[in-house]
Amino acid sequence: MLPIEPLNLRAQQWQFLSNPDAYIKASADGGRVLAADSTRRQFDTAADILVRLNGSLGERARRGLLLADDVGLGKTAVAALVAWVVASAGEGRSVRILAPNDVMVRRWEAELLDHVLPMGRCAPHLDVRESRVKARKVERLTTGSIQVVKHSYASSDFNLGCDLLIVDEAHRAKGDQTCFSKALKRQRKHAKRILILTATPFSIRIEELQRMLSLIGAEEASSPVRAFSRILDDLYSGNTTRNPEVVAERLVGRAKAAIEAMAPFVIRHGVDDLPDEQHSFGTREDWSIPVPQASPSEEELILRMDRALRVASQEGAGRARNDPRFHVGWRHYDAESERLERDRIQLGEPAKSIVGNHLSAMGRLRREVGIHSKVAAVTREVKEVLQSGEKVLLFCHHHATAQELAASLHSNLPAITKHPAPAPKIWESAWNEALDRESEDAVDQELRRTFIRWLCGDLVRTQTWAWLGASPSALSDLAHSITTGRARGCDNAEYIGEAAMRLYGALIHSRSSREVLKRSAERLDLLPGANGTSRVLAVCEPSESKKEALIFVHNRQPDTAISVFNSPFGPDVLVVTDKLSEGIDLHRYCRHLIHYELDPSPIRTVQRNGRLRRVNSWAAVTGKGIRYAYPAFRGTRDHRVVQIMKKRIDSFSLLLGGVQDFDIDQVIHSDEQWRNEVIRIAKKRLTSSATILRAKRSTEYARTAPVGSLAP
């Protein structure tokens, strides 16, 4: 085991964390509104991390910790507080932060800088300065600095020597053979302390959690975790005639032992276990989207494709059989049919004739079935949600599926009024008055004019006019109406003008969005929703169809699309792949999420849900629940995939808790019924066990610490 070098921090240096209310007030003076209950819990967590890493208040110093708080609970904010204390407490300490991608690097930079003003007021003894943050810079780290770089930097030849290494979204290192995992193993000896952040420290195999524990020097917890893993394997592969009560009791015993062994090294809070914060997150509910049973024609289509690919593969011209994309849409199916038709001429007999017969029948059946049943069912449901004035977020796993779904939604959702009243000139004058900013330079004035042109487009002004009630009184002083009317017509939402200013600020402060805004002066259609006809936006590989071009984001940096969807304006439907499943906020004006297509890993499912269930969500603002939908195409592999995902999420929540279950159609198979009963009993008995992983407060340490142990 690697030796633990002292950090030599003093507990008094983070004393400000015991007064979160003063920090909340200081942040508000700087224009940042913090949720009180969540901030208090985050401050307790940051203090506990510092106590454990430093070895204060009677605790032994630990080489590393795993912060596994549920998605949306503010792990970034907690880690930023810890980073500032370590880096700015004097004596030349340094911090490195590894983030997964450019979007997250920018988010980390913003989070760190947001703490400068309130920490300057509440912790003046700490030398907190903007210049200490070295985002995206890869030169040798100077003392007292906080460096933020991408995960890939860990694989460089340069070592990650520092006092504290923070690894964000560390589940990307769960695979033993991934480049990132190997790099962390190699680099961990260069950091005095390691703080790992992930809501999902394991996915399908619990061995992934053991690798996480090894990275932070928690080898002593490995044996109990391994014992739990073995009994969980037995649940899914062992005798299903046993008494479920007896099996559940054994499972509970192993789970409790594993949790107790992890407790010194793991901190975790679940949203549903924090009643004082529920009002900030909003409630949640299952959203049932009925998808009809696959028709005989649809089943035959899938079966014939499987047979055709099987025959072609024997001749060296086949591809993946039983592709999951065949079960959730027809776009990839049609592309494969066309490829098979082209490749068929190269086949020998009888394969050539067999494949040709299948293709002929498949063509007839495709004309018969038309739109895919699952696509049609989800499109109908989204249409109903939009009629109630809400936004919808849909996740897909494959680009072809996302393209097909977005195209269907675009074609079938009701169009906006082509030329809504009042006229753009009236709106332009009103927005100029409402968003007046005299201090802007010439460049920013041009950007603001472009933004106002976007606000005056058909889609946005139709939306805004509807929120104002389309009344003569609103028109008489439109600028005043904009500043006093509520976004999305909700009494608790921000004012329309305030929302526009927040969106504009997000666009000009993002490098990529600012560039998009600059280019939009000549091509306004680069801004989502500017085309005036589509209420759908897709962030995936764009299709080759010119008719569909306007619904796709045509750049690799989705910051602009994220900012627009996170405002009340613009497209009401966002279709994305898992590129946007982690590290971003989409919760401000959306409480409907559809898992149209699932990734095999429950990590993705949990991360997706966290895009909406966050502090000050739209669900909390409206007082209505976040709705999660897992539509399944019954009678196909898609239905089985949803069942498997439920099982994997159940396995995860047994050990760490805090993961929301979801309902699916009743499982008929007796073995599955037995396993579900065992898990139900075990989860009920483990309800309170995961609470020992919560952060300790300083008063709890004070009660248990030996006399004279409160320093350093």
Side-chain angles (χ1 to χ4, degrees), residues 438-479:
E438 296 179 357
S439 60
E440 288 181 328
D441 59 24
V443 174
D444 283 352
Q445 287 177 5
E446 180 61 31
L447 294 179
R448 186 168 63 89
R449 281 193 289 270
T450 301
F451 179 67
I452 289 176
R453 283 176 56 213
W454 178 78
L455 289 172
C456 295
D458 287 351
L459 176 60
V460 177
R461 77 177 197 272
T462 299
Q463 291 172 327
T464 310
W465 190 233
W467 304 335
L468 295 176
S471 64
S473 59
L475 182 58
S476 63
D477 190 347
L478 194 53

Side-chain angles (χ1 to χ4, degrees), residues 640-710:
R640 182 59 179 160
V641 166
V642 176
Q643 292 177 325
I644 292 172
M645 181 56 63
K646 176 176 170 58
K647 181 192 299 182
R648 289 176 176 171
I649 285 179
D650 282 339
S651 298
F652 183 92
S653 60
L654 276 174
L655 189 60
L656 291 177
V659 175
Q660 298 86 16
D661 195 6
F662 61 90
D663 293 328
I664 59 172
D665 295 338
Q666 183 178 2
V667 179
I668 304 300
H669 197 281
S670 59
D671 288 354
E672 292 298 323
Q673 289 178 329
W674 178 84
R675 293 187 182 99
N676 286 346
E677 177 63 11
V678 172
I679 289 175
R680 185 192 66 79
I681 296 170
K683 288 176 72 172
K684 185 176 181 180
R685 296 179 185 175
L686 284 168
T687 300
S688 60
S689 296
T691 58
I692 70 172
L693 298 179
R694 294 180 185 176
K696 289 184 180 180
R697 298 180 180 180
S698 57
T699 52
E700 295 179 71
Y701 282 113
R703 287 197 299 269
T704 58
V707 175
S709 66
L710 297 184

Side-chain angles (χ1 to χ4, degrees), residues 255-277:
K256 286 183 176 179
I259 292 169
E260 289 171 3
M262 291 190 300
F265 306 95
V266 178
I267 297 175
R268 180 174 175 84
H269 304 88
V271 175
D272 290 330
D273 300 325
L274 301 170
D276 292 341
E277 298 183 42

Side-chain angles (χ1 to χ4, degrees), residues 545-556:
S545 170
K546 292 183 179 180
K547 293 181 179 179
E548 298 175 359
L550 56 85
I551 65 178
F552 295 103
V553 173
H554 292 269
N555 60 67
R556 295 185 177 276

Side-chain angles (χ1 to χ4, degrees), residues 331 398-400 402-404 406-407 537-556 575 577 579:
R331 179 161 294 200
H398 295 98
H399 291 281
Q403 293 169 4
E404 180 175 358
L537 181 65
V539 182
C540 62
E541 290 180 1
S543 70
E544 297 179 359
S545 170
K546 292 183 179 180
K547 293 181 179 179
E548 298 175 359
L550 56 85
I551 65 178
F552 295 103
V553 173
H554 292 269
N555 60 67
R556 295 185 177 276
V575 180
T577 60
K579 183 178 181 180

